[in-house]
Amino acid sequence: MPSPVETAVTEIASKILRKDVDLTTVNNFKELGADSLDIIQIIVRVEDRFDIELLEEDLQNIKGIKDFVAYVEKRIAEKNN
Amino acid sequence: MTNTGPAISLAGRTALITGGSRGIGKAITLKLASRGADVIINFLRRRSIAEATAEEVRAKGVKAHLIKANVAEPEEIDRMFAEIQDRFGKLDIFINNAASGVAKAALELDVRGWEWTMDINARAFLLCTQRAVKLMPRGGRVVAISSLGARLTWPAYSAVGVSKATLEALTRYLAIECAPLGITVNAVAPGAVESEALKLYASQETLSRPDWKQTPAGRMVTPEDIAYLVLFLCSEHASMIVGQVIVIDGGVSLAPINL
């Protein structure tokens, strides 16, 4: 079962990239055909969806989609604490 | 130098600064607040940074109100101005500062990169000014932040440069239409400014130049320099400056050997 964050990121990426995407089949957004503008838009929409801030200094160290989802979950948990 | 008049006061004025929480926008926000203006700070992403700027504003004894909105989206512009109308009922000063852009050569620029840059840097200026003017029945001030890149060329600056050239042309057209309403519209065109945005561009190889800091005036332009110029353009003293683009670059554009 995908987590709520995975589901949301999939939905957002599908909307931005204008195609149904399966995040489990790729390592990063670029493999889905995303360029840097797509990735910025995905980040902004994820921030809006969960009312969190994703920090540039942290995002620079994100290695792939699994990392990204884990980081979003961490930021949500930090906000709730 | 001697003091030739009273300090500029913006007491009782309400100012909107897009992208007003960081960098040049923050300097302008704090400058207008320091002269008594209540400020509305538009930001895109980092609420914590915007909150910190708002706190600095409130420490000056004036109001600060935050609005998160992406000015690339017309619906978000509508929402932002509806909120300003509801909360303040008027606007006296609009500073069009929010900017973005893709760093590519003109021959490599694609449609998405073009639209992304133009939507934020040029279209937003048009749409925001149209809405701001409706909230300025007693006159007001509009100042747009441009760039030397509107007239000069830098590698990989094509999209931003063209968008800023559009902004400058729009400044002139809006200025003529707004002047009879008691609203001045002007633009400020800085050279390279010591800021986070410059670091971002300079980190890309095509724009990393060792001589950014060389200006005939001996130093780079700072956000504070720009904020003082914007403050003047927002003052009563600037009522006859209409549709102008004022360059603030330490003389760089007159000494192209340094570019």
Side-chain angles (χ1 to χ4, degrees):
Chain A
M1 274 291 279
S3 71
V5 171
E6 281 176 294
T7 303
V9 173
T10 300
E11 187 189 311
I12 289 166
S14 297
K15 199 164 185 177
I16 298 292
L17 299 174
R18 293 175 186 168
K19 60 183 180 185
D20 289 333
V21 301
D22 181 353
L23 299 182
T24 62
T25 62
V26 293
N27 294 313
N28 56 56
F29 290 117
K30 287 189 177 168
E31 287 178 27
L32 294 168
D35 62 18
S36 57
L37 292 183
D38 295 320
I39 292 170
I40 291 169
Q41 286 182 296
I42 291 169
I43 289 168
V44 170
R45 298 260 177 112
V46 168
E47 286 181 325
D48 287 344
R49 175 74 64 90
F50 295 104
D51 192 23
I52 54 173
E53 290 181 19
L54 303 178
L55 311 178
E56 275 85 2
E57 50 270 37
D58 294 336
L59 290 169
Q60 284 169 1
N61 299 319
I62 300 289
K63 300 294 180 208
I65 289 172
K66 277 185 186 170
D67 249 16
F68 179 69
V69 169
Y71 175 59
V72 172
E73 288 171 342
K74 176 171 164 267
R75 294 294 289 166
I76 294 168
E78 285 170 354
K79 187 189 87 168
N80 293 335
N81 292 331
Chain B
M1 288 191 290
T2 55
N3 188 349
T4 54
I8 293 166
S9 171
L10 299 178
R13 308 285 169 81
T14 303
L16 164 66
I17 302 100
T18 60
S21 66
R22 296 204 267 185
I24 294 169
K26 178 182 177 181
I28 295 168
T29 295
L30 295 177
K31 186 62 66 191
L32 300 186
S34 73
R35 300 308 176 98
D38 293 327
V39 295
I40 301 155
I41 304 166
N42 155 256
F43 70 102
L44 175 60
R45 285 186 55 205
R46 299 287 294 273
R47 181 171 289 278
S48 58
I49 290 174
E51 292 280 10
T53 301
E55 278 310 307
E56 287 187 58
V57 166
R58 291 180 190 120
K60 297 178 186 300
V62 293
K63 291 180 194 164
H65 180 68
L66 298 179
I67 301 182
K68 184 178 196 295
N70 179 1
V71 296
E73 303 288 344
E75 304 77 25
E76 297 205 23
I77 290 175
D78 282 337
R79 180 176 55 75
M80 176 168 70
F81 278 92
E83 190 172 331
I84 294 169
Q85 164 84 64
D86 287 347
R87 197 168 182 102
F88 294 90
K90 61 135 188 170
L91 197 61
D92 303 291
I93 295 166
F94 166 51
I95 310 298
N96 188 86
N97 169 70
S100 183
V102 296
K104 282 187 179 176
L107 292 176
E108 293 169 2
L109 197 53
D110 59 19
V111 171
R112 286 196 62 234
W114 170 270
E115 289 181 344
W116 171 279
T117 311
M118 293 296 283
D119 287 354
I120 295 177
N121 295 358
R123 190 178 68 183
F125 176 43
L126 174 66
L127 299 181
C128 287
T129 303
Q130 288 172 338
R131 284 148 186 79
V133 164
K134 289 179 182 164
L135 295 176
M136 297 176 173
R138 295 181 192 164
R141 296 281 185 265
V142 175
V143 181
I145 306 304
S146 185
S147 162
L148 268 194
R151 279 177 278 180
L152 306 178
T153 66
W154 292 317
Y157 203 73
S158 60
V160 178
V162 171
S163 70
K164 295 295 192 181
T166 304
L167 176 146
E168 291 186 4
L170 196 50
T171 296
R172 290 184 279 274
Y173 279 93
L174 288 168
I176 292 306
E177 293 181 34
C178 291
L181 307 174
I183 300 168
T184 65
V185 183
N186 290 290
V188 169
V193 179
E194 194 106 51
S195 68
E196 289 298 315
L198 180 67
K199 284 181 199 161
L200 194 66
Y201 270 111
S203 67
Q204 302 178 49
E205 195 178 346
T206 47
L207 273 170
S208 70
R209 303 177 75 89
D211 51 2
W212 282 117
K213 294 187 177 180
Q214 291 179 20
T215 72
R219 65 169 176 83
M220 286 181 79
V221 176
T222 66
E224 183 77 358
D225 294 322
I226 298 166
Y228 267 114
L229 175 53
V230 170
L231 171 66
F232 177 72
L233 289 172
C234 291
S235 74
E236 291 303 316
H237 308 298
S239 60
M240 293 305 284
I241 302 176
V242 173
Q244 299 303 305
V245 178
I246 302 187
V247 172
I248 176 166
D249 69 348
V252 162
S253 56
L254 301 178
I257 191 80
N258 285 330
L259 284 175

